[in-house]
Amino acid sequence: MSRIAFPFAQLLFVVAFCAGGALAANNSPVGKWKTISDEDGKPRAIIEIVETNGVYEGFIRERFPRPDDDPEGKCRACPGQFKDQAIIGMKNLWGLKKEGDEYKGGEILDPKKGKIYKAKMSLSEDGKSLNVRGFIGISIIGRTQTWLRQE
């Protein structure tokens, strides 16, 4: 009986180890996220968040265009280096660093309005949603979108 119990115990350990790794992966904003407009509740884009040396950045990988969007998919209203850049592939989130339970100190570009805002974000406890807040000056003057993790 002990020969049967031992392999079963090993199997349980392996399953628990793998599940723990999967849960740990959801404790980070790294990955792909579907943005949901806070104005109409519809999906706008897929953003891929990456981390390099503790700094988080986001890139637009896919978009769900609306009739009033630029037909060529360019950021016509964007400032400076972003002006007339293709929206797909564009960096739209940068400079965020983990501080406690939040990611702060970054900026976010709204390609629709062509404006850059200060940004912060926080991950839900289950890792399936990300609250992203863009603001001017202080956090209270801004808006929050909830992004959904894409599997």
Side-chain angles (χ1 to χ4, degrees), residues 12 24 39 42 52 61 69 78 81 87 95 103 108-109 111 122 124 129 142 144 151:
L12 283 177
E39 294 171 347
K42 295 180 180 177
T52 306
R61 298 299 184 210
D69 287 349
C78 288
Q81 67 184 21
I87 293 173
Y103 300 82
I108 189 166
L109 169 68
S122 59
S124 66
S129 62
T144 300
E151 302 295 327

Side-chain angles (χ1 to χ4, degrees), residues 22-60:
L23 290 174
N26 283 341
N27 289 334
S28 165
V30 171
K32 290 188 178 178
W33 298 88
K34 182 184 288 185
T35 69
I36 306 297
S37 171
D38 57 313
E39 294 171 347
D40 64 11
K42 295 180 180 177
R44 289 295 290 155
I46 300 293
I47 308 295
E48 182 176 16
I49 296 179
V50 299
E51 180 267 327
T52 306
N53 299 321
V55 179
Y56 295 84
E57 299 179 323
F59 297 87
I60 300 171

Side-chain angles (χ1 to χ4, degrees), residues 53-125:
N53 299 321
V55 179
Y56 295 84
E57 299 179 323
F59 297 87
I60 300 171
R61 298 299 184 210
E62 185 179 341
R63 68 186 192 110
F64 307 106
R66 301 284 173 17
D68 61 336
D69 287 349
D70 181 75
E72 295 178 28
K74 306 274 185 180
C75 195
R76 304 289 183 201
C78 288
Q81 67 184 21
F82 301 103
K83 178 94 174 126
D84 296 327
Q85 190 181 109
I87 293 173
I88 302 293
M90 175 187 287
K91 183 189 300 188
N92 77 318
L93 181 68
W94 59 90
L96 289 147
K97 295 180 182 175
K98 186 167 177 50
E99 293 182 26
D101 291 339
E102 292 188 313
Y103 300 82
K104 298 179 177 180
E107 294 180 298
I108 189 166
L109 169 68
D110 179 346
K112 182 73 177 164
K113 295 184 178 172
K115 297 196 183 270
I116 297 174
Y117 302 96
K118 291 182 179 182
K120 70 178 188 173
M121 59 188 188
S122 59
L123 195 60
S124 66
E125 200 169 296

